[in-house]
Amino acid sequence: MTTMRQRRVGKGTEADDDQPSEEKNLKPDGKILSGHTGGKLWNILSITVGGIVAISLGLLTSVYVATLHENDLWFSNIKEVEREISFRTECGLYYSYYKQMIQAASIQQGIVNCKQYLEPVYFYIYTLFGLQAVYVIALYVTSWLLSGTWLSGLLAACWYITNRIDTTRVEFTIPLRENWALPFFAVQIAAITYLVRTHLQPVQERLTLMAVFIATFLFSLTWQFNQFMMLIQALALFILDCFDMLPTAKVMWLYIIQISGLLLVCVLQFFNSMILGSLLISFNASVLIARTIQKNLKKGGLLNRLGKLILHVLLVLCLTLLINKFIKKILNLESDEHIFKFLKAKFGFGATRDFDANLYLCEEAFGLLPLNTFSRLSDTLLFYVYIFVLFFMTVAAVIIAFWNLSGSNQVQFMDKMEECTVTLKPDAAYNLIHTILFGCLALSTMRMKYLWTSHMCVFASFGLCSTEVWKLTLKCIHLYTSQRTRVIKYSVPIMTLLYISYKFWPGIMDELSELREFYDPDTVELMNWIKSNTPNTAVFAGSMQLLAGVKLCTGRTLTNHPHYEDKNLRERTKQIYQIYAKRSPEDVYRILRSFGTDYVILEDSICYERRHSRGCRLRDLLDIANGHIMDGLGENEPDLKPSLYPRFCEEIKKNLPPYTIHFTRVFQNKTFHVYKLAKHK
């Protein structure tokens, strides 16, 4: 039950203004007046206009980010190698698979052969920019569904665009997997928002379930972190079901859809073991089992319900841990252990010397959300409106949760709440818990803020255009009339849109007129040298980020790359990175040759890194993992010892005999040094 009993209507109340329009248009004989037909026409016109606005805003957003990308790099004018280098770090790795696919003869003869119409790189980036249109339309529709007016969808889209720095990074990290996935996640949220509505026809329900499944599957297929995002979503569903705010049957279907989508992805990804060992599958299976075991969970008084609820939560938690432990033991899964080590260290459950966990801990993207994020979001009024709506919706949710747990005997409690009638529809309840949980995720991990800030636009715009929010607000300050509510729910969003347009339109125009150009001559020189001076079968070692570019630009074989969800690859990367540690030349040579390395690339930006503070530089992480004291002034843990050898990446440049016997420098510029490994018998 998600709506508190409506206030008993007596004489002199304003209840007549809240009656359904059909009831007002009834003649004494029960026939509907012609105004009902006019209402239908108005609804059709509103839906048509709202749909056109949604599609237009989606397309404009797509063109906007594409223009920013072009203006920032002069992408249309630079060479192919420069275009590929612009796909930094893991972005280059992801794009390299697309490039490899379109260069295959069988694919060229098939449906992907678009060279005669469009360069492959443009087909790729335009597809991603096109998905931004899908993203914005999904946000627009979600807000529209929640509020009942497309005006809130318009406001959500405008907030998404004006807060672009904090809502997306697609224009400068195009191939990232999240840019493929988040539009489908937004579609899934829109579909769930519609699904949990009451009074859906069976056909509508089945079609919506199909839409949820397809969106869930595509989201899972395109992002390796999907299981963690959907685990949070499953927790939101679990909370709402426990407090009787969503229909249990629909929640169960959503659990099954999540499991089915993941298992299908597992099959398509050649039985990816990391998926089978995910907490999401264990959690959803545990909930389904617990609901089968525990009967009459939602019957009884307040204390009885609370006792059952606590027992239910403990049962689900224990089952989740047992099932997950069992699956990982049987399948010998360790793919995601680095994530749990990172989380353990991040939230203060003991320090760690684990190289992989520290690599995440030292990255700003995995730190806390910076406070200046809120000042930027406040400039557009988004954060202020969001907090206002969140406060009232949370109060409503707490009251209704208490009422639902109390059962039907709390009439006196209802009477006390007469002056502030509280309603919370299932779709609003879902989006409330969704935004709270993903807000907690964003606050703890900056990289995940894009999941929260985009939904923040939806939630704030819905609240500003919501009859329920304004009705509750005005009743609590004794100013409620239905006419006043209607005026406010339209006038406040319109004034907000006018403010945003006035303040940010000039800046957007300036941004679109600002022209820059891609410039990275050292990396271009390196890639051209590799293509011209090394055999196609050569094997290269180096940093994960650089090697992704080497694979993309030259097609050479790599010893390691940025795909970090495989334990063996993580261990291999740690071994390769000994080129930046204090190790003997013999040790480094032996390690590199064990992976078949022909050439190793050393980067001064890593060897002499200054971006991170002491203790977080890559060389420091390697020293700690190897048990060596770090360079520079500062504290060291007592059990760390001085290394017997100098730092390899520094010492090799002196061309001393112990090094030249194994390594010969074959390329050098201001940034990179390439050494060829000797092939001793």
Side-chain angles (χ1 to χ4, degrees):
M1 177 176 177
T2 58
T3 304
M4 294 182 66
R5 295 179 185 176
Q6 295 299 312
R7 179 179 178 181
R8 289 187 296 274
V9 180
K11 294 181 180 180
T13 69
E14 63 275 4
D16 291 339
D17 293 328
D18 295 330
Q19 290 179 354
S21 57
E22 285 190 19
E23 190 175 330
K24 293 180 183 178
N25 289 326
L26 283 176
K27 289 183 177 180
D29 59 2
K31 293 181 179 178
I32 297 177
L33 296 172
S34 59
H36 182 62
T37 305
K40 274 191 172 182
L41 291 174
W42 175 254
N43 286 340
I44 292 171
L45 179 62
S46 177
I47 290 171
T48 303
V49 172
I52 292 171
V53 172
I55 294 170
S56 300
L57 278 171
L59 293 174
L60 283 172
T61 304
S62 179
V63 172
Y64 174 54
V65 293
T67 304
L68 290 176
H69 175 258
E70 168 64 24
N71 290 356
D72 189 50
L73 300 174
W74 202 4
F75 200 75
S76 60
N77 194 60
I78 57 179
K79 299 175 183 177
E80 182 180 5
V81 65
E82 292 175 310
R83 290 176 178 174
E84 292 174 347
I85 291 170
S86 72
F87 298 141
R88 301 286 186 181
T89 64
E90 66 262 43
C91 298
L93 177 69
Y94 306 146
Y95 180 76
S96 71
Y97 294 114
Y98 166 76
K99 180 181 176 182
Q100 182 177 328
M101 180 183 72
I102 63 169
Q103 288 180 343
S106 59
I107 296 295
Q108 284 182 333
Q109 295 165 5
I111 60 173
V112 189
N113 187 10
C114 58
K115 290 183 179 179
Q116 55 184 323
Y117 306 108
L118 192 68
E119 290 182 70
V121 67
Y122 275 106
F123 176 79
Y124 185 89
I125 66 173
Y126 285 167
T127 299
L128 268 162
F129 291 145
L131 280 175
Q132 282 294 297
V134 175
Y135 197 3
V136 170
I137 291 171
L139 298 176
Y140 181 107
V141 169
T142 305
S143 186
W144 187 358
L145 287 171
L146 287 167
S147 67
T149 171
W150 58 262
L151 181 62
S152 67
L154 174 61
L155 183 56
C158 290
W159 264 329
Y160 177 84
I161 294 168
T162 52
N163 291 283
R164 177 182 54 80
I165 293 174
D166 295 299
T167 55
T168 183
R169 50 178 180 164
V170 66
E171 76 273 14
F172 61 90
T173 57
I174 297 174
L176 275 188
R177 286 175 283 186
E178 69 186 51
N179 294 329
W180 292 95
L182 292 186
F184 299 121
F185 193 47
V187 171
Q188 187 226 40
I189 293 169
I192 291 175
T193 300
Y194 185 75
L195 175 69
V196 297
R197 286 180 159 191
T198 54
H199 309 304
L200 286 184
Q201 297 296 323
V203 174
Q204 293 174 314
E205 194 168 301
R206 285 194 292 269
L207 289 174
T208 308
L209 282 169
M210 181 62 69
V212 173
F213 174 77
I214 293 171
T216 301
F217 165 69
L218 292 173
F219 171 64
S220 303
L221 188 65
T222 48
W223 198 17
Q224 81 276 25
F225 289 138
N226 65 79
Q227 54 177 292
F228 302 105
M229 303 308 108
M230 289 200 295
L231 176 61
I232 295 174
Q233 190 177 59
L235 286 172
L237 295 171
F238 180 72
I239 292 168
L240 291 166
D241 184 38
C242 286
F243 290 108
D244 208 10
M245 291 182 171
L246 287 185
T248 299
K250 291 181 178 180
V251 172
M252 296 301 108
W253 270 112
L254 290 171
Y255 287 143
I256 293 168
I257 284 174
Q258 286 187 331
I259 294 175
S260 304
L262 271 186
L263 291 178
L264 181 57
V265 170
C266 177
V267 172
L268 292 177
Q269 292 183 347
F270 308 101
F271 296 94
N272 184 348
S273 60
M274 185 176 174
I275 292 175
L276 295 175
S278 67
L279 275 175
L280 175 65
I281 289 180
S282 303
F283 176 79
N284 286 10
S286 300
V287 176
L288 294 173
I289 294 170
R291 289 307 300 263
T292 304
I293 296 172
Q294 284 185 290
K295 304 294 184 182
N296 302 322
L297 188 63
K298 297 184 178 181
K299 293 183 180 180
L302 177 61
L303 294 178
N304 190 296
R305 285 284 302 270
L306 281 175
K308 289 180 180 179
L309 183 58
I310 293 170
L311 182 62
H312 182 62
V313 171
L314 291 174
L315 178 60
V316 169
L317 181 61
C318 292
L319 280 174
T320 300
L321 296 175
L322 285 173
I323 292 173
N324 192 253
K325 190 76 174 176
F326 176 75
I327 292 174
K328 289 186 173 180
K329 189 75 174 177
I330 292 295
L331 299 178
N332 193 28
L333 301 179
E334 296 177 307
S335 300
D336 57 357
E337 65 174 8
H338 64 298
I339 296 175
F340 295 104
K341 287 179 181 177
F342 159 71
L343 292 174
K344 183 180 176 183
K346 181 178 178 67
F347 294 110
F349 297 105
T352 179
R353 288 186 180 177
D354 183 77
F355 175 76
D356 301 318
N358 284 330
L359 203 58
Y360 279 107
L361 284 171
C362 286
E363 283 299 322
E364 184 182 4
F366 292 94
L368 299 177
L369 187 67
L371 292 177
N372 60 8
T373 305
F374 301 108
S375 63
R376 289 194 300 269
L377 295 173
S378 300
D379 287 342
T380 62
L381 303 182
L382 172 60
F383 188 65
Y384 297 132
V385 175
Y386 177 78
I387 294 298
F388 166 76
V389 176
L390 185 65
F391 172 75
F392 279 99
M393 297 293 286
T394 303
V395 169
V398 170
I399 293 171
I400 290 171
F402 181 80
W403 169 248
N404 288 346
L405 289 177
S406 299
S408 58
N409 297 323
Q410 301 294 321
V411 178
Q412 293 181 350
F413 173 76
M414 284 299 301
D415 290 337
K416 291 179 182 178
M417 294 305 301
E418 275 195 358
E419 293 303 316
C420 291
T421 302
V422 178
T423 60
L424 190 64
K425 296 175 184 176
D427 51 2
Y430 168 74
N431 280 274
L432 170 65
I433 304 301
H434 180 102
T435 198
I436 289 173
L437 293 183
F438 278 94
C440 294
L441 177 66
L443 291 172
S444 65
T445 308
M446 186 184 77
R447 185 174 180 180
M448 299 302 170
K449 72 175 180 179
Y450 302 103
L451 290 154
W452 181 45
T453 49
S454 58
H455 191 264
M456 185 189 290
C457 300
V458 170
F459 195 75
S461 61
F462 142 65
L464 215 56
C465 299
S466 168
T467 301
E468 289 79 10
V469 170
W470 287 116
K471 185 176 180 180
L472 175 61
T473 306
L474 293 175
K475 280 199 169 187
C476 287
I477 57 176
H478 307 289
L479 291 175
Y480 171 74
T481 65
S482 59
Q483 185 177 8
R484 186 175 290 153
T485 303
R486 282 196 296 271
V487 170
I488 291 176
K489 71 173 279 190
Y490 289 112
S491 61
V492 173
I494 289 171
M495 287 189 292
T496 304
L497 283 167
L498 291 173
Y499 168 80
I500 292 172
S501 301
Y502 173 77
K503 185 169 182 180
F504 294 98
W505 182 257
I508 290 174
M509 291 298 100
D510 290 342
E511 196 175 32
L512 289 172
S513 62
E514 189 175 351
L515 302 178
R516 301 187 185 91
E517 184 178 357
F518 175 84
Y519 185 74
D520 189 357
D522 289 349
T523 308
V524 171
E525 184 185 13
L526 171 66
M527 299 304 173
N528 287 333
W529 180 88
I530 291 174
K531 286 194 288 187
S532 303
N533 297 277
T534 64
N536 293 336
T537 56
V539 179
F540 279 79
S543 69
M544 294 185 291
Q545 295 82 355
L546 179 63
L547 290 185
V550 171
K551 174 177 171 56
L552 170 59
C553 297
T554 71
R556 301 302 189 264
T557 304
L558 313 178
T559 56
N560 56 306
H561 58 66
H563 183 74
Y564 222 56
E565 284 74 51
D566 179 85
K567 184 181 180 182
N568 292 329
L569 191 55
R570 290 197 300 271
E571 185 57 36
R572 175 181 288 212
T573 297
K574 180 183 174 182
Q575 291 299 312
I576 295 293
Y577 277 9
Q578 297 303 313
I579 58 179
Y580 296 109
K582 298 172 181 176
R583 298 290 293 269
S584 69
E586 292 77 18
D587 283 348
V588 174
Y589 176 81
R590 177 181 49 79
I591 291 169
L592 294 176
R593 285 304 298 163
S594 70
F595 298 120
T597 307
D598 297 313
Y599 297 87
V600 59
I601 307 174
L602 296 173
E603 301 168 64
D604 286 346
S605 59
I606 298 178
C607 191
Y608 306 107
E609 181 187 359
R610 295 178 182 175
R611 184 169 68 94
H612 291 103
S613 60
R614 185 177 184 269
C616 268
R617 300 169 297 191
L618 179 62
R619 61 181 187 267
D620 297 334
L621 302 183
L622 290 164
D623 289 343
I624 293 170
N626 292 339
H628 299 152
I629 62 172
M630 297 178 286
D631 293 338
L633 299 175
E635 296 291 327
N636 286 286
E637 293 185 33
D639 58 332
L640 295 178
K641 307 295 182 184
S643 173
L644 298 176
Y645 303 98
R647 194 167 303 283
F648 177 83
C649 64
E650 296 177 358
E651 202 69 11
I652 192 175
K653 296 169 186 174
K654 298 178 181 178
N655 292 323
L656 299 174
Y659 293 85
T660 55
I661 193 173
H662 302 297
F663 303 94
T664 303
R665 184 160 56 198
V666 290
F667 174 84
Q668 176 185 3
N669 63 21
K670 291 184 294 183
T671 306
F672 305 104
H673 303 260
V674 181
Y675 292 86
K676 185 176 181 179
L677 276 69
K679 294 186 178 180
H680 303 308
K681 293 183 180 180

